[in-house]
Amino acid sequence: MSWLCRCTSRRRSATLNPWSGCALSLRTFSGSVLAIPRLGAVNVHASLLPRWRGAAPVARAILAGDRETGVTIMKMDEQLDHGPVLGVRATPIGAGEDAVALTSRLADMGAELLADTLASFDELSVVGQDHKQATVAPKLSREEGELSWDAGANEIDRRVRALQPWPGVTLPTPRGRVKVLKGHVEGDRYVPDVIQLPGEKPAPAKQVLGDGPGARRAQ
């Protein structure tokens, strides 16, 4: 079995005569490339399509406060994350789970679902996406992580978890803006647990900021 992954040469890929292709990277392919595999090309996407099509589905799910996400196996067409669905597997987003941990879980789920899908490929039924329900997961920007305490505890918490490892979240303190790597919501306040000063290693927030005004919490 030959695979069509990250095709850069249509002529070279065609000589492989693959029966199916799999794409795991964020890109679209032309119709001529998608036509090379006899049974078409499939994509593993880290969301419950049609929700969160695009570059940052894991982060956008956390930012939106979604309670669940998952992985989708779809047949590729020339539009981004647009093709009919071959398989779906859902999972709750854990309380306090950040994008790094969630991405790792979804990668394992996606690998298992892809294997199951290919094993029963001939018996599967494709289901078209409801394009009217589609939402877009655009690329993250550095500005999305530059917060003030006025954003509120829940918003800060979602952003700290969603924007890991990049761009990360910074908040103002008497020691300047610090990157918040981990924290928790305590009542209506956000409490940083692990922070990082510019050019330094991560450290407990209390160790760096103490318990006084410097350890300000979002009200």
Side-chain angles (χ1 to χ4, degrees):
M1 172 170 54
S2 298
W3 291 100
L4 178 63
C5 294
R6 284 183 174 267
C7 294
T8 56
S9 170
R10 180 175 180 269
R11 179 178 298 176
R12 181 179 178 185
S13 300
T15 62
L16 296 174
N17 192 28
W19 66 270
S20 182
C22 174
L24 305 175
S25 59
L26 176 68
R27 62 174 299 176
T28 57
F29 294 91
S30 67
S32 60
V33 170
L34 294 175
I36 293 172
R38 179 167 53 86
L39 299 181
V42 298
N43 174 255
V44 185
H45 187 73
S47 82
L48 301 175
L49 291 172
R51 188 164 176 79
W52 302 130
R53 294 175 176 174
V58 176
R60 296 300 172 189
I62 295 175
L63 284 171
D66 290 359
R67 294 189 176 185
E68 71 170 4
T69 186
V71 291
T72 302
I73 309 294
M74 66 173 184
K75 293 194 72 172
M76 297 176 66
D77 60 20
E78 293 185 59
Q79 299 184 54
L80 184 63
D81 302 327
H82 179 273
V85 172
L86 293 166
V88 177
R89 191 163 294 171
T91 184
I93 298 177
E97 190 170 29
D98 65 21
V100 174
L102 183 54
T103 297
S104 179
R105 284 206 301 118
L106 294 178
D108 290 339
M109 289 177 57
E112 293 175 1
L113 183 57
L114 177 62
D116 292 344
T117 299
L118 295 178
S120 57
F121 198 86
D122 292 336
E123 292 81 39
L124 292 175
S125 298
V126 296
V127 179
Q129 295 186 41
D130 183 352
H131 303 303
K132 293 181 179 180
Q133 299 299 317
T135 59
V136 180
K139 292 181 179 179
L140 301 174
S141 67
R142 191 178 301 276
E143 290 73 23
E144 289 179 273
E146 296 173 352
L147 300 186
S148 70
W149 294 104
D150 295 334
N154 290 326
E155 178 67 16
I156 293 172
D157 178 65
R158 286 193 293 267
R159 293 212 190 191
V160 169
R161 292 187 293 113
L163 304 184
Q164 299 287 349
W166 190 91
V169 163
T170 63
L171 283 163
T173 74
R175 297 196 63 176
R177 294 195 72 89
V178 301
K179 180 175 284 189
V180 181
L181 303 179
K182 189 174 182 180
H184 66 278
V185 175
E186 190 175 283
D188 60 353
R189 302 178 298 179
Y190 183 77
V191 183
D193 293 323
V194 181
I195 65 173
Q196 185 175 16
L197 293 171
E200 298 188 16
K201 295 181 179 180
K206 287 185 178 181
Q207 176 181 312
V208 178
L209 302 176
D211 292 315
R216 184 180 177 185
R217 302 167 181 181
Q219 302 296 319

